[in-house]
């Protein structure tokens, strides 16, 4: 860090330093929309109920108008009050924020505690070129500080000031002698086309999330659908009881209706994927990875390479069929999902890349990793045996009991469920695997899909060794590793293998004494 850089940055932020400042009026829109989002998230499961009861609501138009007007007024007043009580200042090497109406919140965040800097630019901020600046710290489950509306040039200058401060502190501690700072420029590592995002939307699990949310209302929805069809003069009961149509025709109609429903849900998933990851760009500047994406709200996340804790290849069954991978660079707090895959502060996800692209991106970060070539050791089949025994006692024993009391249908259902679980239990065991090449530990697991995880041994902060009575009898164990991004475990491996793995890990951590961040 040289004096010219510091002077330039300080000049850019001089107007905003050492005094309490109010937000730009555009922040009122932000507060209003956040209030709506937070309220809607608590009532999302009631949406189908409101849709079903639309007829009753339609009969009370005046009440609806009065209610909606009251809600809008309340939202506007709430946003204005939050805007009025929000103020911030940058003083010294710290960011301070005062906010809250009834419950006051005061944040005093030194630059040295900041581990991650993120930008969000909602679509309504683009007209005034403002951004939200989110400052994360290690060990925090959410953004530690959030400056709601900063002019983008000021936010960029403040970001550079924080990064240069931290670079200077790190260089002073690790390299007391002065270093010549090289000019860094961003290099594009990966972009995602709309076609890639469509594939990601189809392969993601958003469809099943929607179905799960609607599950409690299937009965009411079906009744409303039937009433709607009959309103067009179609007598479904007479149609289904008619003998003029063959059974295959009924099956074809039901299959067609199911296909249309699934297609609509898939469309929702694809639209969500495109909105979230639109114009995705992953770039590298020196040792920093920067991810930018978003259609309506632009997100920007930066990650230092030394803070990278683990690389994950994630594939569900459709990803495997299409030979695609969701690649994740996980750093601090990656085990805590804050918002969504796109905005989680602890990770950078590159959606639906090919296997070759995933290998290239992983090698760019850790050139010596062997994720795609290393041979995994299987875990003990005793895991499969244990899970089968648990399923037997939970399903077969009750099935026999129900059969004894004459509930044959329930008994048959439990028995059928047990038979369905057998191949899943076997597949779950088959997916498990682990490997160690002396520098990295690799873990493979999954069910229908499969996940591959890779992390450097020197990043391990804590290990664990566990044995149940069942495992001890067969000289088996479960070993665990705690990283800054969360814990990872390998179950049902040989006791001697577990001891060796833990000893080698602790020896390398102790001997290398490398920083984990």
């Amino acid at each position: 860090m040289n004096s010219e850089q510091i002077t330039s940055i300080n000049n850019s932020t001089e107007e905003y330093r050492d005094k309490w400042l109010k937000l730009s009026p555009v922040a009122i829109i932000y507060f209003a929309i956040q209030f709506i989002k937070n309220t809607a998230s608590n009532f999302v499961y009631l949406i189908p109920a409101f849709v079903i009861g639309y007829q009753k609501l339609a009969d009370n138009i005046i009440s609806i108008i009065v209610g909606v007007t009251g809600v809008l007024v309340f939202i506007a007043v709430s946003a204005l009050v939050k805007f009025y009580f929000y103020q911030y200042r940058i003083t010294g090497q710290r960011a301070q924020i005062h906010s809250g109406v009834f419950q006051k919140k005061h944040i005093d965040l030194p630059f040295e505690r900041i581990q991650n800097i993120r930008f969000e630019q909602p679509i309504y901020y683009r007209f005034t070129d403002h951004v939200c600046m989110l400052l994360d710290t290690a060990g925090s489950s959410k953004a530690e500080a959030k400056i709601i509306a900063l002019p983008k040039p000021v936010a960029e200058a403040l970001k550079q000031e924080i990064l240069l401060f931290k670079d200077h502190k790190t260089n002073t501690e690790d390299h007391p002698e002065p270093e010549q700072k090289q000019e860094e420029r961003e290099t594009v590592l990966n972009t995602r086309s709309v076609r890639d995002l469509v594939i990601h939307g189809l392969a993601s699990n958003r469809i099943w999330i929607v179905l799960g949310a609607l599950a409690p209302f299937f009965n009411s929805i079906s009744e409303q659908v039937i009433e709607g069809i009959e309103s067009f003069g179609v007598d479904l009961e007479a149609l289904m009881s008619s003998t003029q149509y063959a059974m295959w025709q009924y099956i074809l109609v039901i299959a067609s209706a199911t296909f249309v429903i699934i297609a609509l849900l898939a469309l929702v998933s694809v639209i969500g994927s495109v909105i979230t990851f639109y114009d995705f760009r992953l770039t590298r500047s020196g040792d920093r990875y920067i991810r930018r994406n978003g259609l309506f709200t632009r997100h920007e996340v930066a990650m230092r390479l030394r803070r990278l804790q683990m690389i994950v290849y994630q594939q569900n069954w459709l990803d495997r069929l299409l030979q695609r991978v969701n690649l994740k660079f996980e750093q601090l707090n990656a085990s805590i999902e804050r918002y969504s895959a796109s905005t989680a502060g602890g990770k950078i996800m590159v959606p639906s890349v090919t296997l070759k692209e995933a290998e290239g991106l992983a090698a760019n970060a850790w050139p010596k990793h062997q994720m795609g070539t290393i041979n995994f050791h299987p875990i003990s089949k005793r895991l499969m045996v244990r899970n089968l025994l648990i399923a037997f006692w939970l399903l077969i024993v009750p099935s026999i009991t129900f059969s004894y009391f004459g509930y044959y249908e329930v008994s048959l259902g439990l028995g059928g469920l047990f038979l369905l679980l057998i191949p899943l239990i076997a597949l779950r065991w088959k997916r498990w695997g682990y490997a160690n090449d002396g520098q990295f530990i690799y873990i493979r697991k999954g069910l229908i899909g499969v996940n591959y995880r890779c992390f450097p041994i020197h990043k391990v902060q804590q290990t664990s060794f566990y044995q149940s009575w069942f495992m001890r009898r067969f000289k088996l164990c479960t070993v665990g590793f705690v990283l800054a991004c969360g814990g990872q475990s390998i179950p049902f491996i040989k006791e001697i293998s577990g001891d060796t793995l833990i000893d080698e890990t602790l020896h390398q951590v102790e001997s290398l004494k490398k920083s984990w961040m």
Side-chain angles (χ1 to χ4, degrees), residues 161-223:
E161 180 179 353
I162 296 172
L163 294 178
L164 287 174
F165 171 81
K166 293 180 71 63
D167 281 346
H168 176 68
K169 183 177 178 62
T170 301
N171 292 335
T172 302
E173 293 175 352
D174 297 342
H175 308 283
E177 68 279 2
E179 291 187 343
Q180 188 70 26
K181 187 173 181 64
Q182 299 179 351
E183 178 139 359
E184 299 174 350
R185 61 184 182 86
E186 286 190 29
T187 303
V188 178
L189 300 180
N190 189 271
T191 60
R192 297 284 83 200
S193 66
V194 174
R195 176 177 175 271
D196 296 322
L197 301 184
V198 170
I199 293 174
H200 177 68
L202 292 173
S204 68
N205 61 355
R206 290 184 178 90
I207 296 174
W208 313 116
I209 292 174
V210 173
L211 287 175
L214 294 177
F217 309 100
F218 279 159
N219 188 47
S220 299
I221 292 173
S222 63
E223 291 178 357

Side-chain angles (χ1 to χ4, degrees), residues 290-306:
I290 305 168
R291 184 209 72 208
R292 298 181 179 93
N293 61 277
L295 179 59
F296 299 123
T297 299
R298 292 291 296 171
H299 297 279
E300 178 181 318
V301 176
M303 178 190 73
R304 299 295 296 267
L305 178 58
R306 67 170 180 263

